[in-house]
Amino acid sequence: MASTLSQLKLGWLHGLRAKLLRRYEHKPLVSCLAGLYGCRWRRYERSFTQPGECCCNKLLAVCLLSEGQKLYLHWSHKIGIFVSLTFSIVATAVLSDLWSKEWKTLLLSFQITAPYLHVGGVLLMTALAWPIALHFFRMNSRVKRALILGVYLSILSALYLVPLGLYSPCIKEDGTLGPAPALIGHRGAPMLAPENTLMSFEKAVEAGSEGLETDVTISLDGVPFLMHDQTLRRTTNILEVFPNRTNHPAAMFTWSELESLNAGAWFLSHDPFGTVGSLGADDRLRAEKQSVCSLHDFLQLAAQKTKLVIFDLYRPPRGHPYRDTWIQRTLEVIQNESSILSSQVRETVRGGRCEEAQSEVLWLPSDLRALVQEMDPELQQTSGSRLPLEELQSNNIVKLNLHYSSMSAQLVSEYAAVNISINLYVISQPWLFSLAWCCGVQSVTTNAPQLLKSMKSPLLLMSPEEYNLMWILTDGASLVLILIIFFFHWWRERGLAFCSGGKITADNGTYSKFKTELSDIWSVSSTNSQAEKTPSLATVSEH
């Protein structure tokens, strides 16, 4: 009985060894790859590459080559590759010009995702160890073997050591994270209501915004009102009310004409952020009835809710009666026609944070800065550009309002050292808000205050100790797996090379092993269905 168990165990071990040494053909996978690569959709005939050939330099066919297949590139694929390559080059050039700022966004994303990109790179190189080890032990040329192994190990070593020079603002010591940036509703809450309407600003207040950002221009009869675009086509029904004046500047309409326009129906029909479906019936009805908002009504709301105010002030076009007195007229509304006190007003270029429970107006334009300061010395100035510290201090500027692409922890720290705070615009993605939070930014202008307000901490925040542990575990596990993969391929190829002549009995037949210089040949009878179920390995002898 013991002898029988021993024989069964030995037979099972021999069968397992035979399976490990067998070179599987993976016919369905190979046929699919060959069809996609070379339009060879008929029954695929296996044809091995010659021993010693370096297959790793053909990147486009790495999957087929890892299966030892010849490459058959169909003429249609050649044309397709050429067209695709040409299109990609042209498209990249055009997009690089149109979206130049977006490349900076990509670089910013690397700052917060860097630890995880390192892990992904290590995992990728670990997965590549299998085909590289396979070809390494099948090559006869020592030069090629040294080259492929040297390149692989160089890249792998660089990835292992990347964390030594890696920087991410969200890798912080416990207790060093500052408060979340204050939220400034960009034209209100444009995902929940039509932009630059009273409903939009009320929604921003409900969502927890500390401030409200808007755009101000002046009507033909001197009433400052809220409008971002130069014309009224996008956000009003001017095509229906004044069809012959759709291209006229918004500032060239009287206030009574502006009041007759609908400024909310477009939001429901265009659904700019894809959020209309989340609105209730009451909100839909209310949004549909919104009108153009005056600066006076906007400031009254801000004063009532004790919210910070930021606005862009647009100069009227030539021929406008307030072309040269636009700033004075806007100051009159702030000082004399609204309940916001002069001491609560800040003049700025989009920036700032509400530090007290009071209303504050952050005035955007830098034009005629000296005149504005002379008219009201209590106004605090803000700049929209990164000027030298000496110039900022000489102009009494206490805040900067910058595009988020300028974000860096070093920049924030440098200006904070001289009591200059920073507001970034427009940040609506949680990961970008997390990065601003980790960098210590004081406030951000956002389209999504309702989303960012719910964040309790930055995404992907970790301590240096946690990252070091992740780094060591990732690199250690990768190294062990790679060593196991190379050892397996070495053992497998050595077994195929030196066990020639010995036969191993497996479950489905008898296999003879032979040297790696000769290819495995499977003889499959196309007329005998039984032979298809039980493949046999032809014995190859050396002459």
Side-chain angles (χ1 to χ4, degrees):
M1 185 67 178
S3 177
T4 303
L5 290 175
S6 178
Q7 290 178 357
L8 288 175
K9 183 180 292 187
L10 183 60
W12 180 81
L13 291 174
H14 284 176
L16 177 61
R17 187 165 184 262
K19 289 180 179 180
L20 290 175
L21 291 175
R22 186 188 308 169
R23 288 176 176 170
Y24 290 98
E25 294 193 60
H26 308 296
K27 288 183 179 179
L29 172 64
V30 172
S31 297
C32 180
L33 290 174
L36 293 174
Y37 184 79
C39 286
R40 296 168 62 86
W41 296 105
R42 296 182 179 180
R43 184 172 63 87
Y44 191 73
E45 297 179 1
R46 186 174 179 87
S47 179
F48 287 93
T49 53
Q50 293 299 318
E53 288 185 356
C54 181
C55 304
C56 299
N57 59 344
K58 299 180 176 66
L59 298 178
L60 291 176
V62 66
C63 293
L64 275 173
L65 290 175
S66 65
E67 290 297 324
Q69 302 300 308
K70 287 185 178 180
L71 303 179
Y72 297 94
L73 189 62
H74 194 266
W75 64 268
S76 62
H77 286 75
K78 297 178 182 178
I79 296 175
I81 290 174
F82 176 76
V83 172
S84 299
L85 188 60
T86 303
F87 174 79
S88 299
I89 294 174
V90 174
T92 301
V94 172
L95 292 177
S96 296
D97 182 57
L98 295 177
W99 295 348
S100 56
K101 290 184 178 180
E102 300 305 321
W103 294 116
K104 295 182 179 179
T105 304
L106 180 63
L107 295 177
L108 285 176
S109 71
F110 289 158
Q111 290 189 25
I112 194 169
T113 60
Y116 303 92
L117 290 175
H118 162 249
V119 172
V122 171
L123 292 178
L124 176 62
M125 292 303 295
T126 303
L128 288 176
W130 184 273
I132 288 175
L134 176 66
H135 291 296
F136 176 79
F137 288 111
R138 288 185 182 179
M139 290 178 181
N140 293 328
S141 173
R142 292 185 177 180
V143 175
K144 292 180 179 179
R145 293 176 71 174
L147 179 62
I148 185 175
L149 188 62
V151 171
Y152 178 74
L153 292 180
S154 298
I155 298 175
L156 185 66
S157 300
L159 279 174
Y160 282 170
L161 298 177
V162 155
L164 293 176
L166 183 145
Y167 167 75
S168 174
C170 287
I171 299 178
K172 304 180 75 70
E173 294 284 356
D174 294 337
T176 61
L177 179 68
L183 300 179
I184 312 297
H186 183 234
R187 307 175 200 170
M191 291 185 176
L192 304 177
E195 67 180 57
N196 279 332
T197 62
L198 277 179
M199 179 184 178
S200 183
F201 298 115
E202 289 171 356
K203 286 291 184 182
V205 172
E206 293 174 8
S209 297
E210 287 89 341
L212 306 172
E213 186 273 347
T214 188
D215 311 277
V216 179
T217 188
I218 299 179
S219 69
L220 196 63
D221 50 353
V223 177
F225 66 98
L226 313 186
M227 184 61 56
H228 173 267
D229 297 359
Q230 294 297 316
T231 69
L232 302 167
R233 286 177 298 178
R234 182 176 65 89
T235 58
T236 71
N237 63 337
I238 189 173
L239 186 61
E240 301 172 6
V241 182
F242 303 108
N244 298 325
R245 301 172 65 187
T246 56
N247 293 325
H248 288 197
M252 301 306 288
F253 289 79
T254 65
W255 177 239
S256 61
E257 291 173 333
L258 293 168
E259 282 186 304
S260 68
L261 298 174
N262 182 295
W266 71 274
F267 175 76
L268 299 178
S269 59
H270 289 76
D271 194 8
F273 295 96
T275 54
V276 170
S278 63
L279 301 181
D282 292 342
D283 282 341
R284 285 172 177 263
L285 182 61
R286 185 182 174 197
E288 191 174 12
K289 296 180 178 180
Q290 291 300 298
S291 59
V292 177
C293 183
S294 67
L295 176 62
H296 171 270
D297 291 342
F298 169 71
L299 293 177
Q300 290 299 96
L301 173 65
Q304 180 184 356
K305 302 296 183 179
T306 63
K307 296 298 178 181
L308 171 149
V309 170
I310 307 175
F311 59 82
D312 281 304
L313 180 60
Y314 297 140
R315 187 177 187 181
R318 296 183 183 278
H320 194 283
Y322 290 88
R323 166 76 175 178
D324 298 323
T325 57
W326 52 301
I327 290 181
Q328 292 91 326
R329 177 62 189 130
T330 304
L331 280 175
E332 287 177 8
V333 173
I334 295 174
Q335 294 173 329
N336 305 325
E337 300 178 22
S338 70
S339 59
I340 292 183
L341 301 177
S342 179
S343 59
Q344 299 174 318
V345 176
R346 293 182 185 176
E347 180 188 7
T348 183
V349 183
R350 289 188 193 171
R353 176 172 182 169
C354 186
E355 299 170 352
E356 303 176 12
Q358 61 183 20
S359 303
E360 303 177 13
V361 177
L362 305 183
W363 186 320
L364 213 64
S366 58
D367 298 16
L368 306 177
R369 190 183 298 278
L371 173 62
V372 174
Q373 193 168 10
E374 181 181 349
M375 293 178 64
D376 198 332
E378 295 184 8
L379 292 176
Q380 298 188 36
Q381 304 286 331
T382 305
S383 173
S385 57
R386 294 173 55 180
L387 301 174
L389 291 177
E390 296 78 9
E391 185 175 348
L392 292 175
Q393 291 175 324
S394 64
N395 288 323
N396 299 318
I397 292 174
V398 295
K399 289 186 179 292
L400 292 180
N401 187 73
L402 306 174
H403 188 265
Y404 69 80
S405 60
S406 303
M407 184 192 327
S408 76
Q410 181 180 358
L411 174 71
V412 174
S413 177
E414 288 178 357
Y415 285 107
V418 291
N419 296 320
I420 297 178
S421 59
I422 293 178
N423 178 76
L424 299 178
Y425 63 92
V426 173
I427 292 179
S428 302
Q429 298 80 17
W431 74 265
L432 201 52
F433 180 71
S434 298
L435 186 60
W437 190 345
C438 293
C439 287
V441 173
Q442 289 77 20
S443 63
V444 300
T445 304
T446 178
N447 289 324
Q450 75 283 359
L451 176 63
L452 303 186
K453 191 65 177 180
S454 64
M455 294 179 60
K456 304 303 180 183
S457 65
L459 301 176
L460 309 180
L461 178 68
M462 66 176 69
S463 67
E465 292 76 16
E466 291 172 332
Y467 178 62
N468 289 337
L469 180 61
M470 183 175 71
W471 168 28
I472 294 171
L473 289 178
T474 300
D475 287 2
S478 169
L479 182 60
V480 170
L481 285 174
I482 290 173
L483 291 176
I484 291 174
I485 289 171
F486 270 80
F487 176 79
F488 171 76
H489 281 288
W490 170 81
W491 171 82
R492 184 168 177 266
E493 294 299 322
R494 183 173 176 271
L496 287 171
F498 294 103
C499 292
S500 177
K503 295 185 178 181
I504 301 175
T505 302
D507 295 337
N508 294 328
T510 301
Y511 299 87
S512 62
K513 298 186 292 291
F514 47 92
K515 295 182 179 179
T516 54
E517 286 83 355
L518 298 176
S519 302
D520 294 344
I521 303 174
W522 289 88
S523 107
V524 179
S525 173
S526 60
T527 60
N528 191 330
S529 60
Q530 182 63 30
E532 292 179 355
K533 297 180 181 178
T534 310
S536 61
L537 183 66
T539 302
V540 181
S541 60
E542 295 183 7
H543 297 282

